[in-house]
Amino acid sequence: MNQRYSDEEIRRLLRERRRRNKRKKIIIRCTMLAAAVIIMLACCFFVLSLLFGGDNEDSKNSKESKKNYGIIFLDPGHGGVDSGTDAGGRYEKDDALKLSLAIRDCLEAEGYKVLMSRTEDVDIDREERGRMANEAGADFFISIHRNQASEGDGAEIWIPKENTEDQQILGNTLMEAFVECGFAERSVTPGVYKNPNDDYYENSIPNMPSCLAEVGFTSSTKDNEIFDRIDQNAKIIAESIIKAHKKVYPDRYTE
Ligand SMILES: [Zn+2]
């Protein structure tokens, strides 16, 4: 049975329908606007993550890979009661420590792990130094010393009597650095002074490429002037250690 509406009721029903339609349109528009805002925010986030997130990832990766380059063991010769050479109050132990600490800072800045036999003026057994490097699983053992003589100047490097190509690379690359610092090139020699069939403790105990470097003569004014450019020298020497490390451990540098 059909329901009969009065004119007034029909107008009221039409008004209600118009209101319902209007509300529906407002809800649809609000929903679309909210969706558009969400999509825009998502796009902005994506672009920002590409711009900055990518860099962060790169630098994280680069730091991560630098951490894996390896361990360099630096051995400042002598220390404590053992002053090493003494040229009018200029002690070898102090020079060796100063230069080693500066080289350490340069290497660490490049992301290498550096261990040292001593960072202060203390006694350390000569055999113990090599054992420390072995226990740490170091990649290079570099002992820093200075020479003394009534005359003479320049840098010399001692490598093990039975040396591998890697040990020669370390010795020769370091010598290039000393020459770049300004020292005269004396030699890269296997064995010990006047005896090629023996080894210094610094070369006989480490089970990784090692060398004992005499960084000029404390008895030479010329060498001392060169040596005292510590920061500049440390940078050159650290770069040469890195150069040698890249040659000896190339797999550490592959992606
Ligand atoms: Zn010495």
Side-chain angles (χ1 to χ4, degrees), residues 109-126:
E110 292 301 317
Y112 290 80
K113 184 172 180 184
V114 178
L115 297 173
M116 294 177 67
S117 53
R118 65 182 180 98
T119 53
E120 291 173 342
D121 184 18
V122 290
D123 283 293
I124 308 275
D125 184 85
R126 283 180 71 188

Side-chain angles (χ1 to χ4, degrees), residues 55-190:
D55 281 351
N56 288 342
E57 198 57 33
D58 282 351
S59 61
K60 202 175 93 189
N61 286 343
S62 125
K63 273 182 196 164
E64 200 59 41
S65 56
K66 275 183 180 177
K67 272 186 207 162
N68 295 331
Y69 284 163
I71 303 169
I72 312 297
F73 194 95
L74 296 178
D75 171 40
H78 312 277
V81 293
D82 173 15
S83 301
T85 63
D86 172 4
R90 181 173 181 133
Y91 299 123
E92 180 186 357
K93 64 174 183 176
D94 297 329
D95 279 0
L97 181 58
K98 249 186 265 177
L99 181 61
S100 300
L101 287 170
I103 296 171
R104 177 193 66 180
D105 291 346
C106 293
L107 287 170
E108 284 182 345
E110 292 301 317
Y112 290 80
K113 184 172 180 184
V114 178
L115 297 173
M116 294 177 67
S117 53
R118 65 182 180 98
T119 53
E120 291 173 342
D121 184 18
V122 290
D123 283 293
I124 308 275
D125 184 85
R126 283 180 71 188
E127 294 175 61
E128 182 57 25
R129 297 166 190 246
R131 284 198 286 265
M132 287 162 77
N134 290 346
E135 277 171 28
D139 297 325
F140 285 153
F141 179 96
I142 300 164
S143 193
I144 302 288
H145 291 250
R146 297 207 65 201
N147 247 329
Q148 188 178 30
S150 54
E151 58 180 48
D153 57 66
E156 64 187 31
I157 293 176
W158 298 92
I159 60 174
K161 58 182 180 187
E162 287 168 11
N163 50 82
T164 63
E165 195 189 340
D166 290 345
Q167 277 150 339
Q168 291 161 21
I169 287 171
L170 176 62
N172 291 332
T173 313
L174 261 183
M175 180 54 84
E176 283 170 20
F178 293 147
V179 170
E180 195 182 332
C181 292
F183 293 105
E185 179 174 354
R186 290 173 71 85
S187 61
V188 178
T189 317

